[in-house]
Amino acid sequence: MKKQFNIRGYVPGGIVKSARSEDLDLQSLPPVLRILMVTDGTVTKSLEAYFWEPVSVEKLTQDVVESTADQEWLDIKKSDKILEREVRLRGGDSGTVFAFARSLIKLEVLPENLRDALLNEKIGIGELVRECGLETYREVLDMGREVDEPLVDIFGGQHSDDLVYRTYRIMVDHQPAILITEYFPRHIFVD
């Protein structure tokens, strides 16, 4: 999938293969969800514009840990120190959980002001990058479907049985710095 969406947001036939070699029919997704899957922009701002309500970032976990495995996409080795972070994006008016995200972050690659803000703020990574004026490059690496029982609690039982996900990385100064996997409940994007 690497480089698939660097130039275009369209795939002839609509089918993409996930890193697990599973097919995802992008064409069958609601249009706004297709946009979220291939965009290199910030999701929070897009969700606010689509659902027309403020969206808050709820930090669920955030810990500096040793990596339990090598992570090629982030260029980390087992036992390297990384920041693991989990957040959900919730509508301020409706209370609907629009997305859940897991992030792995190489803190030493980030400028000090962004690293400090990330460790202390409750806003999303995209918002922090924008506020700090950091020049970055985002690259979609994977996408697919997910049925993950532990995520039922995160979505509060709200249609978490049919999720789509995308994994992308944020490059800082030509180095992989942040790896993010975002999960979206398909049902809430159907008109």
Side-chain angles (χ1 to χ4, degrees):
M1 163 122 11
K2 194 172 175 185
K3 310 264 185 232
Q4 179 103 34
F5 296 104
N6 285 3
I7 298 172
R8 300 194 177 280
Y10 169 78
V11 177
I15 304 294
V16 296
K17 280 233 185 271
S18 73
R20 298 182 291 204
S21 294
E22 297 169 347
D23 288 345
L24 174 65
D25 183 359
L26 279 175
Q27 188 172 345
S28 72
L29 296 178
V32 70
L33 195 47
R34 280 197 307 263
I35 291 168
L36 290 172
M37 296 298 283
V38 303
T39 189
D40 58 5
T42 59
V43 169
T44 306
K45 190 189 298 188
S46 298
L47 290 170
E48 286 181 334
Y50 180 72
F51 290 104
W52 203 245
E53 68 176 298
V55 173
S56 64
V57 177
E58 296 177 351
K59 188 173 14 173
L60 302 175
T61 64
Q62 180 169 296
D63 296 301
V64 176
V65 299
E66 286 187 3
S67 176
T68 58
D70 291 352
Q71 177 51 259
E72 177 185 339
W73 287 338
L74 199 52
D75 194 24
I76 59 173
K77 304 291 182 218
K78 184 177 180 179
S79 73
D80 284 354
K81 294 269 190 221
I82 56 171
L83 177 67
E84 287 185 340
R85 176 178 158 113
E86 292 184 339
V87 301
R88 69 179 157 204
L89 304 178
R90 183 187 299 272
D93 297 332
S94 67
T96 301
V97 178
F98 298 123
F100 166 72
R102 287 185 176 124
S103 304
L104 302 177
I105 302 154
K106 289 174 62 175
L107 290 171
E108 71 273 6
V109 174
L110 301 179
E112 186 176 348
N113 64 334
L114 178 58
R115 183 174 51 241
D116 292 345
L118 184 60
L119 291 169
N120 297 309
E121 298 290 328
K122 293 184 178 182
I123 63 175
I125 291 171
E127 293 168 286
L128 285 172
V129 166
R130 201 170 43 250
E131 276 187 13
C132 291
L134 185 63
E135 292 186 25
T136 62
Y137 172 73
R138 296 172 189 230
E139 181 178 29
V140 177
L141 300 170
D142 190 23
M143 62 180 64
R145 291 187 62 193
E146 181 72 52
V147 178
D148 189 346
E149 282 302 313
L151 294 181
V152 170
D153 291 337
I154 288 168
F155 285 98
Q158 298 174 329
H159 318 293
S160 57
D161 57 337
D162 187 13
L163 302 172
V164 293
Y165 70 89
R166 73 172 183 154
T167 300
Y168 65 98
R169 70 178 164 191
I170 300 175
M171 306 289 284
V172 175
D173 198 24
H174 305 287
Q175 297 179 62
I178 304 171
L179 186 69
I180 302 172
T181 301
E182 296 167 329
Y183 301 84
F184 303 95
R186 182 180 175 154
H187 183 274
I188 64 170
F189 294 93
V190 177
D191 290 333

